[in-house]
Amino acid sequence: MTQRRALPRRGLAIGCGGTLGFAWTVVALRALEQQLGWDARTADVMIGTSAGSEIVAALGSGRTPQDLIDALEQKPGVDPVLAAHAAEHPGAMPPIPAPVLPALGLVRAGLARKSPYNAMAGLLPKGRGDATWLREYGDGLAGPDGWTTHPATWIVAADIANGERVAFGSPGAPKAGLGEAVAASWGIPGWFPPVEIAGRRFLDGGAISSVSADLLVDEDLDEVIVVAPMTSEGGAPATGLSRVERILRSQMTAGLDQEVAALRAAGVRVVRVEPGPAELDAMGPNFMDLARREATLAAARAHVPARVAAALEGVNA
């Protein structure tokens, strides 16, 4: 007779979202911890993309969602690595890119997947942004072996030659240091240049998938918690410039819908937490707008607990 597990195996998947998505997500994680009576650092597998990679790097290195919130609010006595990272920012807009198209392989991948946003990412020129702040952050969090102390912290980036998603830290993935993996995962096309790891070049994993939750299908998990600031199940209303953001959001939402369906088809429960209209109004059309971070934190505190409660109720219904 097979013995039943005493505790469910739980995965955590955190999606891309830039500066403001990062802020919204850490509040969502704290609400999940409180309502579940759970420590997010104990997830059996945690996978992060772009801004999500920053967060899982911290969780995998022993920091808590509250530590991240405290760093964003510049509270005294906060972890120095987190404080230094929160004080750095690449700006609301990218520097003028180089007249080179380094990621045409993403165009082919997008056409194969019938994904316009994947293909468009490959048409963006080579970014000239400086990712030093991301490398220093990851390196500051890393343990003696150059990675997190958590045994299954995965960071997703996209191979620009073919659009393959690589989850650094997972079995069979190329060896990478935590700093370079975070820089690769955060390498927004057109903003940052590709990052070379193990002879291959990588950009933001969000160029292919906002969350890559489906990479957890074969991990023998009972439940996956998805926290996705760049998707909104069922859509989200918008006016003005936010309508442009919603075009990208709708594409990313469609991709996550498929990933969630794959997990559920494999018998995995999925808790899906995403921002609603109130938080999106606070964020505005540019998720890199640092001036909106305080308002985003306030809106998340006001509305995310109810969204988390509804997500958990939906799973348990």
Side-chain angles (χ1 to χ4, degrees), residues 154-177:
W154 298 1
I155 289 177
V156 181
D159 186 323
I160 64 172
N162 54 21
E164 178 189 356
R165 292 173 296 165
V166 173
F168 295 108
S170 68
K175 178 72 173 176

Side-chain angles (χ1 to χ4, degrees), residues 213-268:
D214 57 321
L215 297 185
L216 298 178
V217 166
D218 296 325
E219 293 307 303
D220 192 29
L221 298 170
D222 301 300
E223 181 176 86
V224 170
I225 294 175
V226 173
V227 185
M230 284 297 295
T231 66
S232 293
E233 187 175 14
T239 58
L241 289 176
S242 291
R243 292 175 178 170
V244 178
E245 188 271 349
R246 295 302 191 273
I247 295 172
L248 177 60
R249 179 172 295 272
S250 67
Q251 291 286 314
M252 290 185 166
T253 299
L256 181 58
D257 289 344
Q258 295 176 0
E259 294 173 8
V260 169
L263 285 164
R264 288 175 173 158
V268 181

Side-chain angles (χ1 to χ4, degrees), residues 282-303:
M283 294 176 186
N286 180 3
F287 272 40
M288 296 296 289
D289 187 352
L290 183 62
R292 289 178 174 261
R293 187 162 71 184
E294 186 175 341
T296 297
L297 287 168
R301 284 195 176 95
H303 298 282

Side-chain angles (χ1 to χ4, degrees), residues 69-91:
I69 293 170
D70 291 346
L72 293 180
E73 296 182 330
Q74 300 178 332
K75 290 187 175 179
V78 73
D79 182 294
V81 175
L82 302 185
H85 186 60
E88 293 285 341
H89 191 261

Side-chain angles (χ1 to χ4, degrees), residues 2-302:
T2 303
Q3 187 176 2
R4 292 178 61 85
R5 293 172 177 155
L7 294 172
R9 279 181 52 81
R10 179 176 282 152
L12 175 63
I14 304 178
C16 59
T19 298
L20 302 183
F22 179 103
W24 177 89
T25 296
V26 295
V27 175
L29 284 173
R30 186 68 189 115
L32 281 160
E33 288 188 322
Q34 291 170 328
Q35 295 188 35
L36 285 170
W38 171 66
D39 185 335
R41 297 171 298 177
T42 66
D44 291 276
V45 185
M46 55 181 74
I47 184 169
T49 300
S50 201
S53 75
E54 295 174 273
I55 296 172
V56 299
L59 296 176
S61 302
R63 278 67 168 185
T64 68
Q66 188 61 54
D67 291 334
L68 290 164
I69 293 170
D70 291 346
L72 293 180
E73 296 182 330
Q74 300 178 332
K75 290 187 175 179
V78 73
D79 182 294
V81 175
L82 302 185
H85 186 60
E88 293 285 341
H89 191 261
M93 297 297 291
I96 297 173
V100 178
L101 299 179
L104 290 175
L106 299 183
V107 176
R108 293 187 291 272
L111 293 174
R113 293 185 174 95
K114 298 181 180 180
S115 170
Y117 103 82
N118 288 171
M120 287 298 295
L123 293 175
L124 292 173
K126 183 178 180 180
R128 285 187 166 129
D130 184 356
T132 300
W133 63 294
L134 294 165
R135 293 176 183 272
E136 290 178 345
Y137 170 69
D139 291 343
L141 292 172
D145 66 349
W147 200 253
T148 63
T149 53
H150 188 286
T153 302
W154 298 1
I155 289 177
V156 181
D159 186 323
I160 64 172
N162 54 21
E164 178 189 356
R165 292 173 296 165
V166 173
F168 295 108
S170 68
K175 178 72 173 176
L178 190 59
E180 63 182 353
V182 172
S185 184
W186 223 98
I188 302 170
W191 196 314
F192 294 97
V195 175
E196 185 169 334
I197 299 175
R200 300 163 67 180
R201 294 191 299 160
F202 297 91
L203 282 172
D204 192 337
I208 299 298
S209 168
S210 66
V211 182
S212 286
D214 57 321
L215 297 185
L216 298 178
V217 166
D218 296 325
E219 293 307 303
D220 192 29
L221 298 170
D222 301 300
E223 181 176 86
V224 170
I225 294 175
V226 173
V227 185
M230 284 297 295
T231 66
S232 293
E233 187 175 14
T239 58
L241 289 176
S242 291
R243 292 175 178 170
V244 178
E245 188 271 349
R246 295 302 191 273
I247 295 172
L248 177 60
R249 179 172 295 272
S250 67
Q251 291 286 314
M252 290 185 166
T253 299
L256 181 58
D257 289 344
Q258 295 176 0
E259 294 173 8
V260 169
L263 285 164
R264 288 175 173 158
V268 181
R269 294 190 304 274
V270 179
V271 177
R272 180 172 173 171
V273 182
E274 298 156 295
E279 302 100 288
L280 294 177
D281 285 346
M283 294 176 186
N286 180 3
F287 272 40
M288 296 296 289
D289 187 352
L290 183 62
R292 289 178 174 261
R293 187 162 71 184
E294 186 175 341
T296 297
L297 287 168
R301 284 195 176 95

